[in-house]
Amino acid sequence: MTLEAPKLLTMLRDMIMIREFEELAMKLRAAGKIYGVVHPCSGQEAVAVGVCACLTNSDRITSTHRGHGHCIAKGADIRRMMAELFGRVDGYCKGKGGSMHIADFAIGMLGANGVVGAGLPMAAGAALAAQLDGKGDVAVCFFGDGAVTEGEFHEALNISAVWKLPIVFVCENNLYASNNAIAVQHHITAVAPHAAGYGMPGVAVDGNDVLAVHQAASTAVARARAGQGPSLIECNTYRWYFHSMHDKPPPETRPADEVALWKSRDPIPRLSNDLMARGLLSPAALQQMRAQVERELQAAVTFADNSPFPGVADLLTDMYAPDAART
Ligand SMILES: Cc1ncc(C[n+]2csc(CCOP(=O)(O)OP(=O)(O)O)c2C)c(N)n1
Ligand SMILES: [Mg+2]
């Protein structure tokens, strides 16, 4: 699928926004402005952006504990995201969910999720709803290599294949689940071959090449929209930083040369250099794009800072079972 220049520039802008959002979130967490845990996805931006560039607002995605990139790529409002991280009433969950629970049904973002693997059956449910609606919408499930060891992975793939659901399973294989290297947890470390056991296409792509991700996702989404059933895409990538942070970044436990190698495969200059080589982007235009992202992020911080904290009276509202909780 040939991508037009405006679409390519939007994809570049979205990757830059995700990277800068994460860099800022880490600083604001260390400064005590953000509450809870932050799991940065820096380095993995090409997966969220390459996949979501194939989707519409009525297509639905499920995310993970590392969900900021998925939110931004699906079109979430960064002001409401920032307000949520700040624990304020104008946040997506009125300040009571934090980083790992951001959802926006209006754009088909069914939610980040702190439970590893939990998005898999939810996405299968969303795909069943899309199939019953019959409008050609699809569901996409983002999950990590760690989730592949969970029963839900196999259950979701199986039922999706049996019912030919319009779903794309997108594994972000970043070689680690928390601090555990992939070979510690998987007998076979490649994820794509699991697709064969469920009779669906399974491909592995360079997850730091947004165009390769987009190409694979386009094929899988088209297949799902055409009623031909599910696919699995393994995106090989790497997170630049620690698994998660509270008030300060934890020490790095991965080999320094491995981290350096993956940083040299940064997906953002890979796309911007490509666009410059094709004459679609100038250094000045890139600078302007970065400045605009910076302005939007500053506006998001101001928005979050000006929003009040929820009151005590709000403690039990919007809970799953408010009546039961009150008794
Ligand atoms: C069901 C469940 N088991 C364990 C955990 C603790 N936990 C949180 S993140 C994580 C690692 C997940 O690794 P992966 O799926 O590869 O995602 P990544 O962090 O690499 O993006 C674990 C074990 C959890 N949140 N939920
Ligand atoms: Mg992982």
Side-chain angles (χ1 to χ4, degrees):
M1 184 196 210
T2 312
L3 289 166
E4 303 293 330
K7 181 89 172 173
L8 289 163
L9 292 170
T10 301
M11 288 164 75
L12 177 63
R13 177 264 175 207
D14 286 353
M15 287 203 291
I16 293 172
M17 176 58 86
I18 295 170
R19 174 73 54 83
E20 298 306 319
F21 185 95
E22 298 288 42
E23 295 288 338
L24 185 57
M26 286 184 276
K27 282 189 201 129
L28 292 168
R29 181 64 190 84
K33 296 294 284 184
I34 286 176
Y35 299 90
V37 192
V38 170
H39 298 79
C41 71
S42 304
Q44 303 186 182
E45 298 86 352
V47 180
V49 171
V51 172
C52 289
C54 304
L55 304 179
T56 69
N57 273 354
S58 55
D59 295 321
R60 299 186 178 107
I61 67 167
T62 59
S63 175
T64 67
H65 50 286
R66 204 175 298 290
H68 303 156
H70 307 138
C71 286
I72 293 171
K74 196 71 170 69
D77 179 346
I78 59 159
R79 295 172 315 153
R80 293 186 64 199
M81 285 179 67
M82 195 62 84
E84 190 56 40
L85 299 186
F86 275 51
R88 310 301 176 99
V89 295
D90 292 304
Y92 268 114
C93 309
K94 302 183 187 172
K96 294 189 283 186
S99 164
M100 278 191 282
H101 300 99
I102 295 175
D104 186 353
F105 291 1
I107 56 162
M109 166 59 186
L110 299 189
N113 203 313
V115 180
V116 172
L120 285 147
M122 289 182 200
L128 176 60
Q131 188 182 59
L132 292 171
D133 277 348
K135 294 180 191 148
D137 293 330
V138 303
V140 169
C141 179
F142 291 101
F143 56 99
D145 46 284
V148 176
T149 61
E150 304 260 354
E152 286 144 311
F153 169 77
H154 301 277
E155 294 165 27
L157 263 69
N158 184 60
I159 200 66
S160 299
V162 170
W163 288 345
K164 264 193 161 183
L165 295 181
I167 185 166
V168 182
F169 295 98
V170 178
C171 180
E172 298 177 308
N173 185 352
N174 59 11
L175 301 177
Y176 289 85
S178 302
N179 292 326
N180 296 307
I182 189 159
V184 176
Q185 302 196 48
H186 301 250
H187 183 60
I188 297 170
T189 54
V191 174
H194 284 290
Y198 301 101
M200 67 178 75
V203 293
V205 295
D206 178 347
N208 283 21
D209 178 349
V210 71
L211 301 181
V213 172
H214 183 266
Q215 179 74 47
S218 297
T219 304
V221 166
R223 178 180 148 82
R225 287 202 203 288
Q228 292 165 358
S231 307
L232 171 65
I233 303 172
E234 173 185 3
C235 299
N236 294 115
T237 185
Y238 199 79
R239 60 174 155 74
W240 276 19
Y241 302 115
F242 40 81
H243 170 63
S244 67
M245 75 175 276
H246 290 266
D247 50 348
K248 59 176 187 294
E252 181 58 79
T253 57
R254 301 168 301 176
D257 55 346
E258 183 183 278
V259 177
L261 174 68
W262 280 94
K263 282 193 172 178
S264 74
R265 298 173 180 163
D266 186 343
I268 295 175
R270 273 173 83 171
L271 181 60
S272 61
N273 290 343
D274 180 29
L275 297 186
M276 282 189 201
R278 290 199 239 168
L280 301 177
L281 179 72
S282 65
L286 178 58
Q287 216 173 353
Q288 273 172 19
M289 188 184 279
R290 287 190 169 281
Q292 177 62 23
V293 164
E294 180 60 28
R295 279 194 292 276
E296 287 176 38
L297 282 167
Q298 286 313 320
V301 171
T302 304
F303 176 83
D305 241 345
N306 288 339
S307 174
F309 285 103
V312 175
D314 300 323
L315 266 178
L316 296 181
T317 56
D318 303 312
M319 293 289 127
Y320 175 60
D323 293 337
R326 285 200 184 98
T327 54

